[in-house]
Structure formats: structure tokens, C-alpha cells
Amino acid sequence: MTSSTLSLAGTAKDVRDAALHYWSSFGWPVRTSYTEVLLTLQRDMLAVVMDIDRGGPLLRELEAAGSRGCVLSLRGNGEPWWAFLITAPEPRRVATPPGVWVLSEGTDLPLPQGSIPANGVGWIREPISGGTLFDGDLLLDTAAA
């Protein structure tokens, strides 16, 4: 599973508290900046990013199939994006569908600091202890269909 790294350098109490929550509840490798909690993606925990027009139907299809996981709402270039947290797909996978990006190990993603979205970062589906990641192969296969 992911490294349980935690770094709480000089931030506000609410930012530190949110980082501690992700680290202690899920074992996620997080660090803080002065204003953000950042999740550092690992070899066994990646993210798949797409626009909300594609993400909404994909999430509904995955949930209808019984697949559960967490999804972040992000903002980039003024547009909303969804980031699905996934287990690493098999190395055999060569291509991803158009309009879908797999973020690699070492990439930092901002995490919400509470239940109210801030700076465009919020949960579409919050993580739950013991089952927070979508299966990477299933998600990419479903996105390609």
C-alpha cells in the first residue's frame, strides 16, 4: 500500500488537522503547504483525470456495477475536472481513452480541507475507510467502452 509519509510544515491549524485526518484514517502520504493539503501519488495509488461531462456518466456506470471509490473535484484552466483515485492498472495497458489522463507516481493532488469545497477542490465521492480506491483496470476499461 502507499507510504504513510506525513509532513506538516508551518501551516494553519485547519490545514494540519485535515492532513492528519487523511494520514491517520487512510494512511495516505500527505504534506502541507501554507494553504493546502497535498496527496503525493504513489506506485500503488494513482489518479485518472477527466472533465465532468465524461466523469459523471463514468461514475454512475461504475457505481451501478458495484464499484466504489473516491472522486475529487478539481479546477484547472477555469474548468472543473474530476480525479478518480485508483489502484495502479496492469503495465500491459498501453493507451488511455482520449480526454482521460492517468497521473503518475510523484504527482501532487490537492485534497479538500473540510466538507465545503475551497479553491475548486472538493469531494464528489468521499473516501471511506477500507475501500477508497477504484480498480484502475476496471475504471480505464469502463472509460474506454
Side-chain angles (χ1 to χ4, degrees), residues 18-19 22 28-30 36-40 72 74 85 109-114 118 121-123:
Y22 293 119
W28 290 355
V30 293
E36 294 182 300
V37 178
L38 300 168
L39 168 67
T40 302
L72 280 165
L74 305 171
L85 297 182
L109 279 180
L111 291 175
Q113 297 169 30
V121 178
W123 288 113

Side-chain angles (χ1 to χ4, degrees), residues 4-23:
S4 59
T5 303
L6 174 67
S7 174
L8 300 176
T11 59
K13 183 180 179 338
D14 59 334
V15 175
R16 284 192 313 271
D17 288 349
L20 280 169
H21 166 71
Y22 293 119
W23 180 76

